[in-house]
Amino acid sequence: MATIGYARVSSTDQNLESQLELLSHCDEIFSEKESGAKNDRPELVRLINYIRKGDTVECVRMDRLARDTRHLLKLVDDFKAKGVTLKVQNISLDTGTATGRLMLTMLGAIGEFERNLLKERQKDGIRHAKEKGVYTGRKPTAKAKSSEVMAMVADGVKKAEISRRLGIGVASVYRIINDAKTLNDFSLKH
């Protein structure tokens, strides 16, 4: 029966030290600098493969382990299937108890709700900025290269090669070609 720590930050310029210090009592610590939105983080996968019946996985905060309820609950189910419990330090959560499992489900749902609210506020902010003419989004780099794409198509250059030469996606090459065909079809009919 070991205590296995898990620490994570989202980007390489962030620091793991404070989490590692809080997990220093653990028998083993898995740490990484990866986005929490990714479910297949390398060190998390290693941790899951490493844990054994009777172990406890411990993290400093719940959002270090999972970013949404579905992933969090799946991890807890995976842990439970292996006979492993989860402890979250900052909220004194322990999935080895019925109260801890209930609390986990409620907290996970609240966390997901907060993320959805943030996304809604961001969409509203972008919409509002667009209405004011302040936000125009990123410049359409592929469309700016339409004439170059069509010239290469006329020269018989393959679409993947056009993509590589111009530094745009293959899907953008196809979209430009299809837009040109649609425009030609429209002008022939009218």
Side-chain angles (χ1 to χ4, degrees):
M1 293 188 358
T3 301
I4 315 301
Y6 179 75
R8 181 191 64 78
V9 291
S10 298
S11 63
T12 55
D13 60 334
Q14 292 177 315
N15 195 324
L16 282 162
E17 284 183 36
S18 62
Q19 290 181 59
L20 295 174
E21 186 176 317
L22 290 167
L23 295 169
S24 63
H25 65 279
C26 294
D27 300 303
E28 185 76 32
I29 299 174
F30 292 83
S31 63
E32 60 193 331
K33 295 183 177 192
E34 290 282 342
S35 169
K38 292 173 59 179
N39 293 349
D40 61 344
R41 289 170 260 144
E43 289 299 300
L44 180 59
V45 170
R46 279 190 57 229
L47 177 142
I48 291 168
N49 291 331
Y50 180 86
I51 55 177
R52 301 290 180 256
K53 184 176 181 173
D55 288 347
T56 298
V57 172
E58 190 169 328
C59 60
V60 174
R61 292 190 333 255
M62 191 169 56
D63 68 340
R64 300 298 84 203
L65 187 62
R67 285 289 179 130
D68 63 57
T69 308
R70 188 177 310 123
H71 185 225
L72 179 65
L73 295 176
K74 182 187 179 324
L75 284 171
V76 171
D77 283 345
D78 291 348
F79 293 166
K80 185 179 177 184
K82 288 187 162 201
V84 174
T85 59
L86 171 66
K87 287 187 179 181
V88 181
Q89 290 180 0
N90 74 325
I91 55 174
S92 301
L93 175 88
D94 182 350
T95 63
T97 67
T99 303
R101 287 187 295 277
L102 173 64
M103 195 168 123
L104 175 76
T105 302
M106 291 176 9
L107 289 171
I110 291 167
E112 186 169 345
F113 173 71
E114 287 175 341
R115 284 190 71 196
N116 289 334
L117 280 179
L118 179 66
K119 287 179 185 177
E120 285 178 15
R121 286 193 300 264
Q122 183 180 22
K123 279 184 186 177
D124 288 344
I126 290 171
R127 182 184 45 76
H128 185 69
K130 282 182 178 179
E131 288 170 1
K132 286 185 162 187
V134 178
Y135 180 88
T136 56
R138 68 180 190 145
K139 296 196 185 289
T141 55
K143 282 191 178 187
K145 298 180 180 183
S146 294
S147 59
E148 293 173 79
V149 169
M150 295 312 294
M152 289 181 174
V153 167
D155 289 342
V157 179
K158 294 185 179 190
K159 292 162 187 75
E161 180 61 18
I162 295 171
S163 167
R164 189 191 65 74
R165 285 186 195 175
L166 296 179
I168 61 175
V170 175
S172 295
V173 173
Y174 278 95
R175 190 175 311 110
I176 290 167
I177 294 167
N178 287 334
D179 287 351
K181 285 180 184 175
T182 302
L183 185 61
N184 285 339
D185 289 346
F186 178 77
S187 58
L188 290 175
K189 291 179 183 176
H190 293 90

